[in-house]
Amino acid sequence: MEIRENVALKDWTWWKIGGPADYFCLPQSIEEVREAVRFAQTKKIPVTILGGGTNVLVSDLGVEGLVIAMKQLNACEVKEEGDRVTVVALAGTMKSELTKIYMKRKLAPALFLCGLPGDIGGGVVMNAGIGEKVAPREFTEITDWFEFIDLSKPELPLRRLNKDEAQWHYRHTDGWQPGIIVRAQVSWPNEADEQIPLKVREATKNRLARQPLELPSCGSTFKNPPGHHAGALIEKAGLKGYKVGGAQVSPKHANFIVNVGGATATDVQNIIEHVKTEVKKQFGVIFETEVKYLGRWSKEI
Ligand SMILES: Cc1cc2nc3c(=O)[nH]c(=O)nc-3n(C[C@H](O)[C@H](O)[C@H](O)COP(=O)(O)OP(=O)(O)OC[C@H]3O[C@@H](n4cnc5c(N)ncnc54)[C@H](O)[C@@H]3O)c2cc1C
């Protein structure tokens, strides 16, 4: 496996933002992920994982150490076992592959997965899902188990966590850190619903109408605070369209910060800080970011 130096990460993030990784590699097997970690351990440098890059803000100053991008660790196997359809997938398999599998069989998970970019590992890490009241609507509901390389042990063992052994929260999963998720099994009852293709088409149409999918973003920037919709509060605070450099609070959906051209991570960070301050000042609500910060940041975030 080639480990390259000084690789621009903006080409690897959905937002098209971010400085270089000191070192960068694309493992194609679980053993190559281990090899990459050992390389970092030998050099005494930190490791950062990049899934589909759809929920990360990479610093303009880049990322120290080794970035392991999961994109080429992708393959999946579908089995129809008893009354369930089971998929075992390597972490870098795109969620869209899962959507295709469920769409073909007209199964309900296609409905929440159809709007989710990124890979399956990122889906487990973030417990990705949608707000609409459909079942299933989050990764926790379809995941049977996932495997991770345990970074706390020198021999870097592969460990499996059954769904109930992990702690699943709103847009966050615990119980596997420090680790690298490398494989997961998801399953769902094999009960075709003839309405699924139509519902998926409608959901896609709604998303296109409501979200600025034509511009680079990270999706929702902030988590919805209990009892509130982050987007509605930002809009009420008068911040729709608020711009810093090449970054803007989307006039279409206030919880999206879009790159309208040449945005830097600092532009986005300045918008995030301003939005947090205004929402706290006007409504007393404290926002928590859903997006993950990667790399070198000069101040605590
Ligand atoms: C247009 C758009 C719409 C979106 N809509 C939604 C939505 O409706 N619902 C929703 O939940 N999210 C949404 N998102 C956010 C995002 O797609 C999800 O959070 C997604 O699951 C992230 O997956 P990823 O592979 O891109 O992860 P990344 O963004 O690459 O990584 C996310 C975090 O996980 C870590 N990580 C990634 N893979 C691994 C791994 N294998 N092992 C250990 N750590 C890892 C990274 O270091 C990072 O901290 C949207 C994003 C965009 C751009």
Side-chain angles (χ1 to χ4, degrees):
M1 175 184 46
E2 192 192 358
I3 297 186
R4 288 187 280 148
E5 280 184 65
N6 206 26
V7 172
L9 291 175
K10 68 176 170 40
D11 304 331
W12 292 88
T13 69
W14 207 262
W15 237 329
K16 304 281 170 244
I17 290 175
D22 293 348
Y23 295 92
F24 178 90
C25 66
L26 284 158
Q28 295 184 9
S29 65
I30 294 174
E31 201 36 53
E32 284 190 349
V33 178
R34 269 206 195 91
E35 199 184 299
V37 174
R38 289 203 187 97
F39 167 87
Q41 286 175 337
T42 309
K43 281 199 159 305
K44 295 189 171 38
I45 54 175
V47 165
T48 299
I49 308 301
L50 199 57
T54 66
N55 203 43
V56 291
L57 182 60
V58 175
S59 158
D60 298 321
L61 301 176
V63 179
E64 186 188 353
L66 174 66
V67 170
I68 303 179
M70 305 301 273
K71 201 179 179 66
Q72 291 184 3
L73 187 74
N74 72 70
C76 66
E77 195 190 343
V78 190
K79 284 182 266 171
E80 296 196 10
E81 289 178 327
D83 57 355
R84 294 183 84 80
V85 175
T86 300
V87 183
V88 177
L90 290 173
T93 309
M94 299 305 285
K95 294 184 188 75
S96 54
E97 286 302 310
L98 265 190
T99 311
K100 279 187 219 156
I101 292 166
Y102 289 125
M103 272 295 271
K104 195 173 152 198
R105 292 167 176 80
K106 299 181 179 154
L107 299 182
L111 196 48
F112 92 98
L113 286 166
C114 69
L116 300 184
D119 67 26
I120 290 173
V124 172
V125 172
M126 299 300 302
N127 188 18
I130 59 171
E132 286 84 348
K133 287 190 170 42
V134 295
R137 61 175 182 161
E138 285 184 336
F139 258 75
T140 176
E141 292 166 84
I142 59 169
T143 306
D144 295 330
W145 52 256
F146 60 87
E147 289 174 338
F148 64 100
I149 294 176
D150 185 346
L151 299 180
S152 71
K153 302 276 182 319
E155 60 278 18
L156 304 175
L158 187 66
R159 287 189 50 204
R160 180 177 292 189
L161 271 193
N162 289 321
K163 176 214 192 100
D164 295 342
E165 295 172 299
Q167 293 93 51
W168 301 81
H169 311 284
Y170 168 53
R171 304 295 168 261
H172 181 64
T173 305
D174 274 329
W176 54 275
Q177 299 94 337
I180 302 174
I181 294 178
V182 290
R183 186 159 43 206
Q185 176 174 299
V186 298
S187 73
W188 194 254
N190 195 2
E191 291 161 7
D193 172 353
E194 293 304 320
Q195 293 298 309
I196 288 295
L198 179 68
K199 287 180 182 168
V200 165
R201 267 201 302 280
E202 274 173 9
T204 307
K205 215 169 107 188
N206 279 342
R207 274 194 171 236
L208 281 167
R210 282 188 295 115
Q211 300 180 354
L213 300 179
E214 63 287 0
L215 288 170
S217 75
C218 73
S220 294
T221 315
F222 302 98
K223 293 182 181 177
N224 286 322
H228 297 280
H229 279 288
L233 287 180
I234 300 167
E235 187 172 349
K236 228 167 130 187
L239 293 171
K240 250 190 176 179
Y242 177 75
K243 208 170 162 212
V244 177
Q248 185 182 34
V249 174
S250 167
K252 201 166 172 183
H253 188 313
N255 201 11
F256 278 55
I257 296 175
V258 287
N259 179 354
V260 290
T264 63
T266 309
D267 294 340
V268 173
Q269 167 63 1
N270 284 338
I271 291 188
I272 288 175
E273 287 308 319
H274 183 67
V275 167
K276 276 181 158 176
T277 307
E278 279 301 309
V279 167
K280 189 173 169 212
K281 195 168 83 190
Q282 296 191 33
F283 312 112
V285 176
I286 295 173
F287 267 175
E288 197 186 321
T289 48
E290 182 172 320
V291 65
K292 301 287 178 198
Y293 290 82
L294 300 185
R296 302 173 168 101
W297 292 89
S298 52
K299 59 179 176 184
E300 189 83 7
I301 42 170

